[in-house]
Amino acid sequence: TGGATPAERPNVLLIVVDTLRVDRLATMPAVTAFAEQAAAFTGAQTPRAKTTPAVASLMTGLYPHDHGVRDLAMRLDRGVPVLAEAFTRGGYRTIGIVGNYVVTDARSGLARGFRMWVEDLPDLVGVPPHHAPQRRADSLTDAALVALGLEPPPPASAAGPHLAGIDASGPWMMYLHYM
């Protein structure tokens, strides 16, 4: 057959929590309850202990020596296919919302393929040691709800330039990158 019909295609939520140690999950009962009903990958390892190369590997399925991103704030070459492009070609509405400055598009090249990419970092007191700006978890989650049309947008001044919402009537793939 030609593949699944739109009604059969599941929504896909990809959550990345930057620098999260697995032992900290025990202190998060809501995450634990969610994990009990979700697909869990207990043997997952990062190919590189730096955000940009690790996320580039997640988005390409390639090791850093194959996709070329070996350090923070290195851009992925435009010739390397990414996950969001495949989802978009498959008819998914693709949304990426990031809270870490090293995965903003200018520093990573990872926005390619996403129909909506939100990277404004409104929290000015950010990540130590250099206080890099970020989008905190509650703000990132609120942005995701607005993007899916599940919450109304905040006042224009707080919404940022890209949070107008996306038509979520069909299958969607959302990438949330928490700091």
Side-chain angles (χ1 to χ4, degrees):
T1 65
T5 64
E8 296 170 336
R9 294 182 295 168
N11 295 325
V12 176
L13 178 59
L14 174 59
I15 299 173
V16 172
V17 183
D18 213 309
T19 67
L20 176 64
R21 293 185 348 223
V22 72
D23 63 320
R24 299 306 297 165
L25 292 174
T27 66
M28 301 177 189
V31 172
T32 301
F34 174 76
E36 289 172 357
Q37 298 181 26
F41 299 93
T42 58
Q45 295 181 7
T46 184
R48 181 90 166 92
K50 291 188 180 255
T51 300
T52 316
V55 174
S57 288
L58 183 67
M59 295 297 185
T60 65
L62 301 171
Y63 287 106
H65 62 272
D66 292 323
H67 60 59
V69 179
R70 295 175 179 235
D71 210 345
L72 292 176
M74 283 186 71
R75 289 184 53 81
L76 180 67
D77 184 271
R78 291 196 57 78
V80 179
V82 292
L83 185 64
E85 291 172 321
F87 271 99
T88 297
R89 278 192 310 274
Y92 276 74
R93 289 160 179 84
T94 50
I95 307 162
I97 305 174
V98 300
N100 183 338
Y101 78 102
V102 299
V103 290
T104 56
D105 192 43
R107 292 176 181 87
S108 71
L110 294 172
R112 193 164 21 99
F114 285 96
R115 291 184 179 170
M116 175 187 279
W117 180 261
V118 180
E119 63 178 30
D120 51 317
L121 305 169
D123 299 307
L124 298 179
V125 178
V127 181
H130 305 293
H131 296 289
Q134 66 176 329
R135 179 180 281 271
R136 294 178 191 256
D138 58 345
S139 174
L140 199 142
T141 300
D142 289 346
L145 295 172
V146 169
L148 291 173
L150 300 173
E151 290 289 333
S157 62
H162 307 290
L163 267 186
I166 190 169
D167 176 14
S169 60
W172 50 261
M173 179 275 207
M174 179 179 275
Y175 158 56
L176 303 177
H177 189 115
Y178 288 89
M179 192 56 205

